[in-house]
Amino acid sequence: MHIAIITAGGAGMFCGSCMHDNTWARALLAAGCEATLVPTYTPLRVDEPDQSEAHVYFGGLNVFLRSRFSWWRKLPRAWTTWLDQPRILQWATRWSVSNDPASLGELTLDMLAGESGPHREAGAELARHIGEELRPDVVIFSNALLVGALRQLRGVFPGPVYCTLQGDDVFLDALPERYRLPALEAIRTRAAEFDGFLVHSRFYRDYISRYLGLPAERFHRLPLGIDLEGHDGQPGERRGEPFTVGYFARIAPEKGLQHLVAAFLRLHGEHPEARLRVGGYLAPQQRPFFETVRRAAQPLGDAFEYVGSPPTHADKVRFLRSIDVLSVPTEFLEPKGLYVLEALANGVPVVQPAHGAFPELIAETGGGLLVPPRDPVALAESLRRLLRNPQERYALGRAGQQAVRERFSMATLARATLEVIDAGRGHGASLATATPQAASSPAISSPSDQPPLEG
């Protein structure tokens, strides 16, 4: 079985989706499959062994220039390919390539225009590479925003093509309104041509199928998977040290750091020995937001620490082992939540908002507490509860760690992938009936089906 995954680079940041795609490719290779990870826009930035091909398709600089300048489109392709070299793109991501939706509306529509738009040559190059050089059994797009390339791929590739949906709505909702509605319409029209869709939670299956107007029965659920190697923290190993709350995610308003700081200020007033450690990628456009958070955290003094974006897997694990509880109180409806699994893999319990994929993750792992979204008071109460009850912290961390090792490993991810492909080849059954994860957990169809709030 040869599976090609077309992924999208994160413009120099650690992007959860492309990092998971890289882990996915590694999992398939470890399971005995042939797997090719095809990068688009920019090279991937990952903290594990990089499985992606060296050549970048739809190179970000050329995509920008072809969308912005009609004269650039008229240049011979041989004159512009040098801009797609990984080292050039890596340099550019430090200075000029942005993934901020607010500035990418026109470019998004150009990409979605596919074979009739300004990027048809790049689409043809990708199609030829997949259909004539790689010749895989299955192709998987990592997001719906790449759907403009689907029809050109269909012209040279006869096999099944799936699309993973893992936060496309977040990007689309951030587009300026004059671009958002045409982009949605283009995706809804073209996405219907995929053979099926892959999601990581039942919540997101229901949400994104309604959002894009696609039949829910065409969606298949894959469990998230992480590489457990190196995640060797043990529940309760920090006993006797100051209670430390951690945040580990991209620094942006939708990730909710402002809510965590507000909650921690309440906690710190009663427990001045407590500490708050923050890690995650900070994009240039988010620096004003982060400065606002810093000012709000000034009363904490040295109790507040921003450690930046840990550059390696080992650095990430060291950060997770330095905290007693993780909280990323997102404002948006998180479709994945890899940071939850990474914390639990090290025996660190979590406190998360009761929306998005978090209720499912907590129900399946038993590794944390749920609180009402956007409620710093309730969040502070749950953090206080875990500060005062180290045995409960230990029990939650131990349960979560065991569940992650049993149900969210790379082997589980690879096995589930092959099951959904086999089901699609046979009778089109969805993964909801094909994997142990889906069969053992109740579907969430309304808020009343979700686990009760804690704290």
Side-chain angles (χ1 to χ4, degrees):
M1 173 77 70
H2 182 186
I3 301 173
I5 301 172
I6 304 173
T7 191
M13 75 172 181
F14 286 119
C15 161
S17 295
C18 54
M19 291 178 73
H20 190 261
D21 289 344
N22 187 71
T23 301
W24 194 5
R26 293 179 61 221
L28 291 167
L29 288 166
C33 297
E34 184 177 357
T36 304
L37 188 61
V38 183
T40 60
Y41 303 141
T42 66
L44 305 191
R45 186 183 179 192
V46 296
D47 60 9
E48 299 174 356
D50 188 349
Q51 297 300 318
S52 63
E53 292 188 311
H55 185 79
V56 177
Y57 293 86
F58 289 107
L61 290 173
N62 269 313
V63 164
F64 172 80
L65 292 169
R66 290 179 72 85
S67 288
R68 182 63 62 90
F69 303 111
S70 59
W71 60 267
W72 188 266
R73 305 171 199 169
K74 299 175 183 177
L75 295 176
R77 179 65 177 139
W79 293 10
T80 64
T81 53
W82 66 275
L83 285 179
D84 295 335
Q85 296 179 46
R87 61 186 179 85
I88 300 295
L89 290 168
Q90 287 168 344
W91 173 85
T93 57
R94 298 176 56 191
W95 309 105
S96 59
V97 175
S98 170
N99 58 4
D100 181 9
S103 62
L104 297 178
E106 186 174 347
L107 187 150
T108 298
L109 294 183
D110 284 344
M111 283 293 298
L112 291 172
E115 70 287 347
S116 61
H119 306 299
R120 54 186 172 273
E121 287 186 29
E125 288 178 3
L126 175 63
R128 284 195 298 270
H129 178 60
I130 298 290
E132 299 175 7
E133 297 172 9
L134 294 181
R135 298 187 178 184
D137 298 292
V138 178
V139 174
I140 303 175
F141 282 48
S142 72
N143 63 72
L145 295 165
L146 291 166
V147 71
L150 178 58
R151 290 177 186 171
Q152 288 172 290
L153 176 63
R154 290 288 196 193
V156 294
F157 175 71
V161 184
Y162 293 90
C163 180
T164 306
L165 297 169
Q166 47 187 334
D168 305 68
D169 58 299
V170 178
F171 180 91
L172 289 167
D173 285 344
L175 288 173
E177 193 65 19
R178 67 182 183 277
Y179 298 113
R180 189 179 76 85
L181 294 179
L184 267 173
E185 183 59 31
I187 290 176
R188 286 168 177 163
T189 299
R190 289 177 176 265
E193 299 170 20
F194 283 113
D195 291 285
F197 304 92
L198 310 177
V199 291
H200 300 300
S201 65
R202 283 173 293 283
F203 148 74
Y204 201 62
R205 173 200 63 198
D206 296 340
Y207 179 82
I208 198 66
S209 65
R210 292 193 301 268
Y211 185 93
L212 294 178
L214 299 167
E217 59 268 19
R218 298 188 60 208
F219 283 71
H220 315 281
R221 180 178 179 263
L222 291 180
L224 291 166
I226 64 172
D227 183 355
L228 295 169
E229 185 175 353
H231 288 291
D232 53 2
Q234 295 301 316
E237 68 179 343
R238 285 180 39 81
R239 290 180 182 179
E241 300 186 42
F243 179 78
T244 302
V245 177
Y247 169 102
F248 186 75
R250 178 168 47 86
I251 308 295
E254 62 269 20
K255 291 289 188 178
L257 178 58
Q258 68 275 25
H259 300 312
L260 181 58
V261 168
F264 190 80
L265 283 165
R266 300 177 68 89
L267 177 71
H268 193 256
E270 300 176 21
H271 298 277
E273 76 284 359
R275 298 290 181 265
L276 174 60
R277 302 196 80 209
V278 173
Y281 176 78
L282 176 60
Q285 66 267 24
Q286 297 300 347
R287 293 188 185 279
F289 162 73
F290 187 55
E291 288 308 312
T292 300
V293 172
R294 276 189 189 275
R295 288 193 294 271
Q298 282 180 349
L300 298 173
D302 292 342
F304 174 85
E305 179 187 10
Y306 173 56
V307 303
S309 183
T312 69
H313 185 271
D315 292 326
K316 176 172 64 179
V317 171
R318 275 192 290 272
F319 174 85
L320 293 171
R321 293 182 63 175
S322 75
I323 63 178
D324 295 286
V325 59
L326 178 87
S327 183
V328 182
T330 62
E331 289 203 341
F332 77 109
L333 302 176
E334 171 66 73
K336 297 190 302 295
L338 277 173
Y339 41 80
V340 168
L341 298 182
E342 291 175 330
L344 295 179
N346 288 280
V348 177
V350 300
V351 179
Q352 291 299 113
H355 64 186
F358 299 130
E360 288 178 57
L361 284 176
I362 298 305
E364 292 184 6
T365 63
L369 307 178
L370 294 170
V371 297
R374 308 175 192 87
D375 189 339
V377 175
L379 178 55
E381 290 175 355
S382 285
L383 295 174
R384 186 184 302 111
R385 167 177 161 180
L386 293 183
L387 182 154
R388 294 176 177 176
N389 295 279
Q391 288 302 319
E392 183 178 17
R393 293 203 311 267
Y394 173 79
L396 291 171
R398 181 175 57 185
Q401 186 176 63
Q402 181 177 349
V404 168
R405 290 176 176 174
E406 291 176 353
R407 307 180 68 180
F408 295 95
S409 67
M410 290 170 60
T412 301
L413 173 59
R415 184 168 58 250
T417 303
L418 297 179
E419 287 175 354
V420 72
I421 291 172
D422 287 342
R425 285 174 162 181
H427 48 77
S430 77
L431 195 67
T433 60
T435 64
Q437 284 71 25
S440 60
S441 300
I444 294 177
S445 59
S446 69
S448 62
D449 294 328
Q450 297 183 4
L453 302 184
E454 296 285 354

